[in-house]
Amino acid sequence: MFNRSKAKIDDLVAKGAQRFDTIGDLVAASDVIITMVGYPTDVEEVYFGAGKILDRAKNAYLIDMTTSSPSLAKRIAEEAEKRGCHGLDAPVSGGNVGARNAKLSIMVGGKQSDSDAVLPILKIMGSNVVLQGGPGAGQHTKMCNQIVIAGTIMGVSEGLGYAKSVGLNPETAMESIGGGAASGFQLLNLGARMIVGDFTPGFYVEHFLKDLGIALEEAQNAKLDLPALDLAKKLYEGLVAEGCSKNGTQVLYKKYAA
């Protein structure tokens, strides 16, 4: 294992994991390399940086699970193939709860044969692993996921904000709407946190804003007008400006409930 913050893997090393001090040394000793970092710039650095993944990998499977740019995923896959390796993009959904319980939804982009080869590994982490198409398709699917979440979390925030503003008990309102057509993860999990003022992160605002930026750029490339996505990005930019970048995405509720 390698982590930029070494202390974060101390418990795993204590259980038998092998720590490497450089990415290059880890890669040289591995047949399958899985990356999950912060931003597309981080992905580019760990793959294309001197002495790092693409420089040191030999006939390896390279799986990037970061939510990143579809075009970067394609570039990695192309370079991996030139070097005798196998590149896949495999972003996830499910948050910290899904990760802890190995119930992530994993969206794979790459060749069928490569996906089949690493499927047993991905199934250790996720309960829903689907090959979506060639390189970049996993990232495009994750953009679909984030676009749906963007609209949904705005609706949850507005609905619960409305309930509070008109004098309803948000908890009893949740009982009713949570058992009907409005039910879903964002309402039942994050909505419940909203009404008690729990804005601890399951997924950081700053990372969600990064994802919204990628999705909006991809939508513009496809000549799509997605007004809900555009509004969500502006709202979360406002939250970052207010110092909420390290809160969970449910902090959007503050915009609707004084």
Side-chain angles (χ1 to χ4, degrees):
M1 305 189 75
F2 172 87
N3 195 294
R4 290 176 292 188
S5 303
K6 292 185 177 182
K8 290 187 176 181
I9 58 172
D10 284 347
D11 57 337
L12 296 173
V13 172
K15 293 176 181 178
Q18 183 178 358
R19 188 200 308 270
F20 283 82
D21 291 327
T22 72
I23 293 173
D25 289 343
L26 179 150
V27 168
S30 304
D31 297 317
V32 178
I33 296 99
I34 299 172
T35 53
M36 184 179 281
V37 292
Y39 294 84
T41 51
D42 300 314
V43 175
E44 187 158 10
E45 169 61 21
V46 298
Y47 277 90
F48 292 94
K52 296 188 177 177
I53 294 175
L54 287 168
D55 268 2
R56 301 287 302 274
K58 303 295 181 185
N59 193 33
Y61 290 89
L62 315 178
I63 308 169
D64 183 36
M65 304 188 81
T66 313
T67 298
S68 183
S69 159
S71 59
L72 179 55
K74 291 178 183 178
R75 184 177 158 212
I76 291 170
E78 289 167 0
E79 287 300 319
E81 187 169 13
K82 290 177 186 177
R83 298 163 192 249
C85 293
H86 315 269
L88 300 106
D89 46 295
V92 306
S93 183
N96 59 345
V97 175
R100 285 197 303 267
N101 297 325
K103 298 293 184 182
L104 292 168
S105 179
I106 303 177
M107 313 155 209
V108 184
K111 292 183 178 180
Q112 180 76 59
S113 57
D114 293 341
S115 177
D116 291 344
V118 300
L119 185 60
I121 294 173
L122 297 180
K123 282 188 171 180
I124 294 171
M125 296 179 278
S127 57
N128 181 34
V129 182
V130 181
L131 176 64
Q132 296 292 340
Q139 296 294 355
H140 276 304
T141 306
K142 182 60 184 286
M143 292 305 105
C144 294
N145 185 81
Q146 302 306 72
I147 290 167
V148 170
I149 288 175
T152 304
I153 199 165
M154 285 192 296
V156 171
S157 299
E158 288 189 7
L160 294 179
Y162 173 86
K164 182 178 179 181
S165 296
V166 299
L168 294 175
N169 180 331
E171 292 183 354
T172 59
M174 275 274 292
E175 287 183 33
S176 292
I177 66 176
S183 187
F185 179 89
Q186 298 297 315
L187 177 66
L188 297 181
N189 290 273
L190 297 188
R193 295 186 191 183
M194 289 175 185
I195 61 179
V196 297
D198 177 5
F199 303 125
T200 55
F203 189 54
Y204 287 116
V205 163
E206 62 184 357
H207 290 159
F208 191 47
L209 181 57
K210 175 263 294 186
D211 295 353
L212 298 181
I214 295 171
L216 193 59
E217 181 178 352
E218 293 296 328
Q220 290 167 346
N221 290 341
K223 295 181 170 54
L224 288 173
D225 179 23
L226 302 181
L229 173 61
D230 186 56
L231 175 58
K233 183 172 181 288
K234 290 174 181 174
L235 289 171
Y236 277 100
E237 285 172 340
L239 287 166
V240 168
E242 294 167 14
C244 298
S245 63
K246 298 295 186 183
N247 287 125
T249 53
Q250 70 273 19
V251 75
L252 183 63
Y253 180 61
K254 283 185 175 182
K255 293 282 189 181
Y256 300 96

